[in-house]
Amino acid sequence: MIHSLFIINSACDVFIEKHWKSIISRSVCDYFFDQHRKAINPEDIPPVIATPHHYLISIYRCGLYFVAVCMTEVPPLFVIEFLHRVVDTFEDYFSECSENVVKDNYVVVYELLDEMLDNGFPLATESNILKELIKPPNILRTIANSVTGKSNVSATLPSGQLSNVPWRRSGVKYTNNEAYFDVIEEVDAIIDKGGSTVFAEIQGYIDCSIKLTGMPDLSLSFMNPRLFDDVSFHPCVRFKRWESERILSFIPPDGNFRLMSYHIGSQGIVAIPIYIRHMLALKETTTGSGRLEITVGPKQTLGRTIENVVIEVPMPKSVLNCTLIPNQGKHSFDPVSKVLTWEVGRIETTKLPNIKGTISLPVSTVVTDSNPVINVKFTINQLALSGLKVNRLDMYGEKYKPFKGVKYITKAGKFQVRM
């Protein structure tokens, strides 16, 4: 299965390597570096790279590349899911996953990788189990371990490891019993020059924070479960119940976890919550200047406010500078990467955000580059764009009444507007 794991930073330096079987030389990463040099963006690197003797399967998260090396053919999504689970575990243990944080916690990182994979096969990937095996780092424990020579690894096997509910530890107790669900939807869309939708779909997921005493059995139902085109579940979900009744029935892990992911797009038209009016003129090169104007406004938001709006425009390489005046937010232009960034913030319907001005170009230069695309980021709170709504949450097996809450968030995924 997985022979080795290399963690690589944005400068293509391997700063952590872990081998579960035979040691594989770092030189195998040269094939990855070749693809890295060809790619414009980190996401453009092929997730699977076949070499004469190995397969390199990688993900890019938190500014780092996680590259798994396999000697034989394996299901790529299986390895990719494991790599994402590794990053999620690091974030759960250290609050963030960055090069400095990983370097500061070398010992715990290697202990976690030892437990998560056994002889190349995934073993313990649930956060609850890992936290019973390996205590999360803190200052006092680090000092005590350095003085006594002990490690963070527990000498006893976690209580849930051998049960039929391995994702939940036994004996969980809370003073306040709470169950929170975040329904988060990311809109992927391509809008053409005239404002028509070329492509649109929604990638959604439900993240949970469950703090319940004992061994509760939960049932979550939706008002309109037929919306889902494709779904994937946490192992705790009873799939047969979902197939027959479209109800999520599960014994939840303790703490934070992703209950399900879903895809919406093929059945109907996805509503676009934001519009961009734009004007770009790069042909006035005899005077050495062009014109740019962008206006942003809400479209189909059901009265909700669009927040955290950021506009990014990768300008043609011939552009020297941008002299622009926004009526809201702040903007910057990177003369090296040629990327114009406008941090709009919150969109008020009474005064739509607008930015306009001139673009500096070399005199008498023919602009051969195609028109750029506008990359849009935004957040809409208390709105699930697909119309998905949670109907009710029922709990069985325990007698107390928990506090329950559901929050809806819509965000931009890969949202592009062609100019």
Side-chain angles (χ1 to χ4, degrees):
M1 184 58 77
I2 300 173
H3 279 245
S4 302
L5 172 66
F6 296 94
I7 304 180
I8 303 168
N9 62 17
S10 55
C12 287
D13 295 325
V14 179
F15 65 94
I16 273 195
E17 58 182 280
K18 171 67 179 169
H19 308 280
W20 286 275
K21 294 187 177 182
S22 56
I23 295 176
I24 295 174
S25 172
R26 282 189 184 189
S27 60
V28 74
C29 295
D30 291 343
Y31 295 98
F32 176 82
F33 298 148
D34 289 341
Q35 295 293 334
H36 182 273
R37 281 189 288 271
K38 294 176 187 175
I40 299 172
N41 299 311
E43 291 82 5
D44 295 336
I45 298 173
V48 181
I49 301 170
T51 74
H53 303 290
H54 307 90
Y55 293 96
L56 306 184
I57 301 175
S58 64
I59 65 168
Y60 176 75
R61 277 184 64 181
C62 309
L64 302 174
Y65 300 95
F66 294 78
V67 182
V69 182
C70 304
M71 300 281 281
T72 56
E73 283 195 22
V74 296
L77 290 178
F78 186 83
V79 180
I80 287 170
E81 176 63 27
F82 172 75
L83 294 176
H84 279 295
R85 195 65 66 89
V86 169
V87 181
D88 292 341
T89 303
F90 288 173
E91 288 180 335
D92 196 23
Y93 264 73
F94 314 128
S95 299
E96 63 173 316
C97 181
S98 64
E99 182 179 357
N100 290 333
V101 167
V102 171
K103 284 181 175 177
D104 290 343
N105 296 278
Y106 261 131
V107 175
V108 179
V109 165
Y110 278 106
E111 288 172 348
L112 285 170
L113 292 175
D114 268 329
E115 296 296 338
M116 293 183 77
L117 216 64
D118 181 43
N119 199 35
F121 290 88
L123 179 64
T125 58
E126 283 296 331
S127 183
N128 286 305
I129 300 300
L130 288 168
K131 283 183 177 177
E132 285 193 64
L133 276 168
I134 302 162
K135 302 298 181 187
N138 60 42
I139 296 173
L140 291 176
R141 191 174 291 120
T142 303
I143 294 172
N145 289 347
S146 61
V147 172
T148 60
K150 293 181 179 178
S151 73
N152 288 327
V153 182
S154 171
T156 58
L157 197 66
S159 54
Q161 184 81 42
L162 301 176
S163 74
N164 59 352
V165 191
W167 52 84
R168 186 173 181 87
R169 58 194 176 93
S170 59
V172 181
K173 289 185 180 179
Y174 286 102
T175 305
N176 297 319
N177 293 286
E178 303 167 330
Y180 297 108
F181 297 85
D182 290 350
V183 180
I184 302 170
E185 297 189 341
E186 295 185 356
V187 186
D188 297 338
I190 298 174
I191 312 298
D192 68 11
K193 192 173 181 177
S196 301
T197 303
V198 177
F199 161 84
E201 64 181 15
I202 292 172
Q203 309 291 345
Y205 43 92
I206 299 178
D207 286 342
C208 308
S209 178
I210 306 291
K211 297 179 179 178
L212 298 175
T213 302
M215 194 70 73
D217 197 326
L218 303 180
S219 291
L220 184 71
S221 60
F222 300 98
M223 299 278 279
N224 38 7
R226 291 191 186 90
L227 284 171
F228 300 122
D229 285 335
D230 190 18
V231 290
S232 65
F233 299 112
H234 188 277
C236 68
V237 175
R238 299 180 179 99
F239 189 61
K240 285 187 177 179
R241 179 92 185 271
W242 170 260
E243 280 192 309
S244 60
E245 302 176 46
R246 285 293 188 263
I247 290 176
L248 293 178
S249 174
F250 57 99
I251 296 174
D254 179 45
N256 301 323
F257 67 100
R258 180 157 295 176
L259 180 64
M260 70 176 288
S261 302
Y262 59 88
H263 168 86
I264 296 173
S266 64
Q267 289 182 353
I269 299 172
V270 174
I272 303 299
I274 192 171
Y275 70 84
I276 310 286
R277 287 203 300 265
H278 50 82
M279 187 280 295
L280 176 65
L282 294 174
K283 306 303 180 186
E284 304 169 27
T285 53
T286 53
T287 59
S289 67
R291 295 284 303 171
L292 173 67
E293 182 174 358
I294 299 174
T295 304
V296 187
K299 199 173 181 182
Q300 301 177 48
T301 62
L302 300 177
R304 305 294 181 188
T305 304
I306 304 177
E307 300 174 310
N308 305 322
V309 179
V310 178
I311 306 291
E312 285 186 355
V313 185
M315 302 299 284
K317 298 300 180 186
S318 54
V319 172
L320 300 176
N321 198 5
C322 295
T323 307
L324 304 170
I325 300 174
N327 68 351
Q328 178 179 329
K330 57 184 180 179
H331 77 285
S332 61
F333 177 72
D334 188 341
V336 178
S337 64
K338 307 292 185 183
V339 175
L340 169 67
T341 304
W342 178 26
E343 296 178 11
V344 181
R346 184 187 180 101
I347 296 180
E348 301 289 351
T349 52
T350 53
K351 185 181 179 183
L352 297 180
N354 174 272
I355 187 170
K356 59 184 176 180
T358 59
I359 298 171
S360 300
L361 297 159
V363 179
S364 301
T365 300
V366 178
V367 181
T368 57
D369 301 10
S370 60
N371 277 358
V373 296
I374 301 173
N375 296 311
V376 187
K377 298 176 184 175
F378 59 82
T379 304
I380 308 173
N381 288 315
Q382 295 307 321
L383 174 68
L385 201 62
S386 65
L388 180 69
K389 277 189 167 52
V390 172
N391 182 24
R392 59 183 295 168
L393 175 70
D394 297 314
M395 187 181 77
Y396 307 96
E398 299 291 340
K399 295 182 179 179
Y400 56 83
K401 287 189 176 180
F403 180 81
K404 299 172 280 191
V406 179
K407 182 169 68 175
Y408 301 93
I409 301 173
T410 295
K411 299 194 294 187
K414 292 183 178 178
F415 196 101
Q416 294 186 339
V417 180
R418 293 172 178 170
M419 298 184 76

